[in-house]
Amino acid sequence: MMSLPSTSSCISKKEYDVFLSFRGEDTRTNFTDHLYKALKRSGIVTFRDDPKLDAGEEIAPELFKAIQQSWCSVIVFSETYAFSSYCMKELGEIVEQKNKGHKVFPIFYNIDPSDLRKQKGKLMKPSPNMKSDTRKIETRSKSGEKL
């Protein structure tokens, strides 16, 4: 009788269970913070970015490594998520990893999923601190796949 190989030999070791992708100014101190704490209490090893990341600062390679070293990503889509170049870069890497079997779980916080798909409603009204740009947001992953 043939035995199955051990799980540890079949599955590569990941550093994190979950990578949280979110727009800090929208959800860091409320929804995402509560979600992070609940995951942590449940013993789920979760990565979330440094709250001290300054506007204009480049995303550290460690952030992309954290996505690659996570079993799945939870994306908290919020009103200004799509207006953040950081979030769009994270999303591009998440899609790259999704194509390699990474699981992705979207959460729509205070927006309608159809608004994100159609880029309308609250998603087309940038905050007063943002430069207004009426062009549609089109983001592509590194491989050219439209997000």
Side-chain angles (χ1 to χ4, degrees), residues 4-26:
L4 294 172
S6 70
T7 306
S8 61
S9 67
C10 292
I11 301 173
S12 64
K13 187 105 170 118
K14 297 284 187 177
E15 191 172 342
Y16 303 102
D17 297 316
V18 175
F19 178 88
L20 282 179
S21 179
F22 60 97
R23 180 73 190 264
E25 69 182 52
D26 287 350

Side-chain angles (χ1 to χ4, degrees), residues 26-36 74 76 107 109:
D26 287 350
T27 68
R28 181 181 303 281
T29 60
N30 49 43
F31 179 80
T32 301
D33 194 43
H34 294 295
L35 176 60
Y36 176 77
V74 173
V76 182
I107 294 175
Y109 180 81

